[in-house]
Amino acid sequence: MLSADNACALLVDHQAGLMLFTGDIDPVHLRNNSVALAKVLKLHNIPVVLTAAAMGPMGPLGPIIPEIQELFPDVEPIYRTKINSWHDERIRNEIEATGRKKVIAAGITADFCIGIPAKTMADAGYDVRLVMDASGNYSEMVLHASIANLTQAGVKVSNWLSVACELQQDWAIEHTAKGLLEIYQQHLPQWGMLETTQNTWKNLPNH
């Protein structure tokens, strides 16, 4: 199981321009899921490595979306030229320095930008969880091909809510349970509507 003590995270290319590149998920949902995942990582103090295309904000792909960057003000993004992030010594050193063998991975796109380093890390003995709904693909066809390719290579495909629950482990752990419920309220529309309804009922006369 993932825990706050055994996991680190690699977030690749959550750049404003690339958020528009995906065809298997609406950019609004992709942004929502990516920010939710980042908040979960922040909640559990998971060490995070941020990386983006070489020119960063000055390039055509734009900056890392501000909601993610603002959550980790002390994390300096690593701007790279290598397609496989694991082959960039700076990124590899950051992950190895955590001493953690479970990697929560997400990025755009899941078939190469995050998919290729995820497969390489899995081959190197890491337990990699690729968060598909915070990653995105060029099309539905590529999504299915990515899942097959990743799982064949030993990468575990997941989603942000599954990662959140695995890290939480027990609702009795109150110091993170409250924060996770706030993330639910902000990023799970159905949960937010249900909570609004329940709160309204509680405030009605004779309830």
Side-chain angles (χ1 to χ4, degrees):
M1 296 287 286
L2 295 171
S3 76
D5 300 317
N6 67 18
C8 62
L10 175 63
L11 303 182
V12 174
D13 296 352
H14 284 99
Q15 295 169 264
L18 276 176
M19 302 293 283
L20 304 173
F21 184 71
T22 58
D24 66 320
I25 182 172
D26 186 283
V28 174
H29 294 148
L30 176 60
R31 188 170 192 162
N32 175 74
N33 298 339
S34 300
V35 175
L37 173 64
K39 287 181 178 180
V40 169
L41 300 174
K42 179 77 170 183
L43 177 66
H44 291 277
N45 295 313
I46 304 295
V48 172
V49 179
L50 299 177
T51 180
M55 295 176 68
M58 302 301 293
L61 302 181
I64 294 172
I65 58 173
E67 298 96 323
I68 290 180
Q69 188 68 76
E70 290 166 5
L71 284 168
F72 308 105
D74 298 327
V75 177
E76 190 69 28
I78 298 173
Y79 298 108
R80 72 189 196 287
T81 59
K82 295 185 183 298
I83 293 175
N84 189 340
S85 296
W86 190 250
H87 289 165
D88 188 308
E89 186 176 359
R90 299 167 299 168
I91 297 169
R92 188 170 63 254
N93 288 345
E94 288 279 348
I95 293 174
E96 289 176 343
T98 69
R100 302 174 179 213
K101 298 296 287 185
K102 296 183 184 294
V103 182
I104 300 166
I108 306 168
T109 60
D111 55 338
F112 57 95
C113 292
I114 188 61
I116 291 175
K119 290 185 289 185
T120 308
M121 287 187 289
D123 189 58
Y126 285 83
D127 179 1
V128 184
R129 315 296 179 89
L130 201 153
V131 186
M132 291 297 286
D133 62 349
S135 297
N137 293 272
Y138 181 70
S139 68
E140 285 281 347
M141 180 181 291
V142 175
L143 166 65
H144 297 306
S146 296
I147 293 173
N149 188 262
L150 290 163
T151 54
Q152 288 165 2
V155 176
K156 296 174 182 174
V157 175
S158 189
N159 62 293
W160 80 261
L161 185 56
S162 176
V163 168
C165 291
E166 194 167 335
L167 286 170
Q168 179 61 37
Q169 297 186 18
D170 188 341
W171 289 112
I173 305 174
E174 295 182 0
H175 69 283
T176 51
K178 181 179 179 181
L180 182 54
L181 289 175
E182 290 175 355
I183 296 171
Y184 278 15
Q185 170 75 17
Q186 296 161 359
H187 295 281
L188 290 176
Q190 296 92 333
W191 180 278
M193 293 299 182
L194 178 62
E195 189 167 316
T196 298
T197 300
Q198 290 177 325
N199 290 338
T200 301
W201 286 344
K202 291 177 183 177
N203 293 322
L204 289 174
N206 303 319
H207 281 74

